[in-house]
């Protein structure tokens, strides 16, 4: 296909994997550690550097039209999350990191098998893959940590205020192990998953593109406002505080104590923008222009109490999950499953990032043998991840397939990838011709 598109053959190939987040949802952008693993599904790009300053992109999937632009005038349209914009994010991130305005052009053919809009991070995999393609074409070097940080930052050109989980695991993943990803400074530590149980991904078949709506950014802003109100309540300099983790670190208290402080400082009733302004002593104009992102400026209510409760409790669950994996008591699988179930309940009730289909799917998964089941990724659609004892896997797959997928009203475009067991896969790679 590369040959028929560009009349030449590729000089090298790059792959970057998608991921499944086992536990730790919507807390990376609050500064807290998360526990994902790479999946085997990935983005793969065939590349030929060219002397002209033209970037030509094609996709093996005819749903994604060809795209071409001058490599020294990259424009990323935030209003429409078109596929090639994710490539441009990675490209521009590397270009800016090295302060280069004159980049050589390239011909790229993109191929991928991560179901899009399913919470398995196909978009970040494309950003990371494009970043590594660009670095390779330039003949430059960066560490995986630097690459992950650049790509996390540059994906925000698309307009979403994501954390760094997806890009970090795409670069730092290693086959056979999940990773605890910590931020500031970014690092990844191996987490040995229990033998005797498998993680199964199931797609609810409800598509959710986090760049196409404001759901995601509203949550990021609610956490930001909660952090500021908590900081002010405890007499801290709140002006520069952006993340809930900063409040905990500055106060030097435990996550459990942060949950108590949240109870005291915030109320469960939603906050209007006016009330937020009164609490912080700022004007509506300042709230809109200095704190909120462009697509959240007209949000009528903010649920600060619920979001902070989710974040602090979820951050604690991640640490408990890691500890149980390390200590491996006899009932490891059951304990991990319970934490996953609690995580789902918190996402559903406190963070409100689930949907009826995801709730139904986790119930079905638990009914047919999962010790734990939860939504994974941003939510509002996409996939669930379930922890299933290995000896129950065959019947689990058959029963869940029957109960959830054999209904005519599901959109089964990605049927093959709708329900599958997965193991921790490896990170991004460059394949060069020998
Ligand atoms: C998306 C974002 C991540 C993370 C998850 C939710 O995948 O890109 O940074 O916030 O949602 O956990």
């Amino acid at each position: 296909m590369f040959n028929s598109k560009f009349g030449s053959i590729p000089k090298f190939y790059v792959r970057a994997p998608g991921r499944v987040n086992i536990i730790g949802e919507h807390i990376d952008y609050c500064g807290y550690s998360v526990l994902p693993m790479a999946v085997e599904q990935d983005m793969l790009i065939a590349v030929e550097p060219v002397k002209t300053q033209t970037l030509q992109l094609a996709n093996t999937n005819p749903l994604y039209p060809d795209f071409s632009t001058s490599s020294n005038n990259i424009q990323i349209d935030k209003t429409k999350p078109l596929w090639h914009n994710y490539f441009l994010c990675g490209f521009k991130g590397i270009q800016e990191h090295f302060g280069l305005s004159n980049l050589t052009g390239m011909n790229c053919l993109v191929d991928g098998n991560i179901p899009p809009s399913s919470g398995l991070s196909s978009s970040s995999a494309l950003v990371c893959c494009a970043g590594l393609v660009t670095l390779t074409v330039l003949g430059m070097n960066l560490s995986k940590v630097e690459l992950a940080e650049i790509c996390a930052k540059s994906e925000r050109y698309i307009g979403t205020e994501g954390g760094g989980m997806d890009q970090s695991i795409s670069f730092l993943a290693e086959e056979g192990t999940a990773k605890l990803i910590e931020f500031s400074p970014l690092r990844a530590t191996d987490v040995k998953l229990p033998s005797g149980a498998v993680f199964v991904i199931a797609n609810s078949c409800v598509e959710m593109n986090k760049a196409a709506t404001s759901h995601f950014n509203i949550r990021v802003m609610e956490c930001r406002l909660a952090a500021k109100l908590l900081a002010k309540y405890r007499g801290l300099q709140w002006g520069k505080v952006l993340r809930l983790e900063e409040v905990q670190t500055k106060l030097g208290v435990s996550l459990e104590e942060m949950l108590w402080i949240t109870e005291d400082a915030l109320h469960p009733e939603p906050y209007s923008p006016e009330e937020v302004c009164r609490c912080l002593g700022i004007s509506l104009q300042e709230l809109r222009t200095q704190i909120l992102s462009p697509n959240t400026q007209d949000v009528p209510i903010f649920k600060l109490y619920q979001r902070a409760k989710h974040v602090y409790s979820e951050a604690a669950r991640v640490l408990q999950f890691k500890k149980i994996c390390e200590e491996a008591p006899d009932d490891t699988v059951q304990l991990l499953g319970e934490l996953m179930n609690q995580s789902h309940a918190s996402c559903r009730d406190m963070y409100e990032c689930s949907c009826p289909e995801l709730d139904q799917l986790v119930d079905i998964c638990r009914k047919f043998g999962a010790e734990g089941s939860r939504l994974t990724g941003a939510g509002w659609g996409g996939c669930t991840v379930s922890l299933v004892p290995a000896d129950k896997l065959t019947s689990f797959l058959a029963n869940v397939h029957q109960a959830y997928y054999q209904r005519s009203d599901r959109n089964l475009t990605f049927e093959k990838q709708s329900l599958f067991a997965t193991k921790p896969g490896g990170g991004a790679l460059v394949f060069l011709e020998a």
Side-chain angles (χ1 to χ4, degrees), residues 19 21 24-30 34 119-121 123-124 155-156 160-167 183 210 216 220 310 314 351 353 374-380:
R19 60 100 190 93
N21 190 21
E25 221 60 84
H26 286 280
I27 61 172
D28 58 347
Y29 51 79
C30 297
V34 291
L120 300 180
S121 226
S123 48
S124 299
E155 190 168 331
R156 301 201 186 110
T160 42
E161 300 283 330
M165 161 166 70
D166 310 343
Q167 302 81 1
F183 302 96
K210 65 182 184 295
F216 188 88
V220 180
H310 166 77
E314 184 77 354
Y351 220 68
C353 62
R374 55 181 296 279
L375 67 83
T376 185
W380 295 287

Side-chain angles (χ1 to χ4, degrees), residues 324-378:
I324 295 167
C325 288
E326 278 163 4
E327 292 172 358
D330 289 345
D331 51 353
T332 298
V333 175
Q334 194 192 332
L335 292 173
L336 298 180
E338 268 165 36
L339 288 172
M340 292 172 70
N341 290 337
Q342 287 168 15
S343 169
H344 185 78
S346 182
C347 284
R348 181 192 59 212
D349 302 334
M350 302 306 267
Y351 220 68
E352 296 177 282
C353 62
S354 187
C355 66
E357 292 83 353
L358 280 170
D359 294 340
Q360 191 195 356
L361 187 52
V362 294
D363 286 346
I364 289 175
C365 290
R366 286 177 202 144
K367 179 169 162 204
F368 292 115
E371 290 288 345
S373 185
R374 55 181 296 279
L375 67 83
T376 185

Side-chain angles (χ1 to χ4, degrees), residues 46-193:
V47 192
E48 178 199 20
V50 293
K51 296 245 152 42
T52 59
Q53 290 188 343
T54 306
L55 174 61
Q56 289 206 76
L57 304 178
N59 200 304
T60 55
N61 185 335
L63 280 179
Y64 304 116
D66 293 356
F67 175 81
S68 151
T69 183
S70 155
S71 57
N72 45 32
N73 180 29
I74 299 297
Q75 305 287 338
I76 301 175
D77 179 1
K78 287 193 183 181
T79 59
K80 286 187 228 104
L82 299 172
W83 79 276
H84 62 255
N85 282 334
Y86 292 96
F87 187 103
L88 297 182
C89 285
F91 185 82
K92 190 173 161 112
I94 296 294
Q95 190 179 26
E96 287 188 348
H97 177 81
F98 290 108
L100 302 169
S101 50
N102 272 343
L103 271 191
T104 55
M106 48 179 142
N107 295 331
C108 294
L109 179 64
V110 178
D111 183 43
N113 59 357
I114 311 168
S117 302
S118 68
L120 300 180
S121 226
S122 59
S123 48
S124 299
L126 180 50
V127 174
C128 293
C129 208
L132 188 51
V133 162
T134 312
L135 185 75
T136 311
V137 167
L138 290 172
M140 308 283 233
N141 278 311
L142 286 172
S143 70
K144 292 181 184 182
V145 164
E146 286 168 316
L147 268 166
E149 285 176 332
I150 294 168
C151 291
K153 200 166 124 221
S154 64
E155 190 168 331
R156 301 201 186 110
Y157 291 133
I158 215 85
T160 42
E161 300 283 330
M165 161 166 70
D166 310 343
Q167 302 81 1
S168 304
I169 193 68
S170 195
F171 283 113
L172 300 170
E174 282 173 289
E175 207 174 323
T177 177
K179 295 276 182 179
L180 180 82
I181 306 279
E182 295 167 273
F183 302 96
S184 322
L186 176 59
R187 49 187 197 134
T189 316
D190 290 1
V191 177
K192 195 171 170 301
L193 298 172

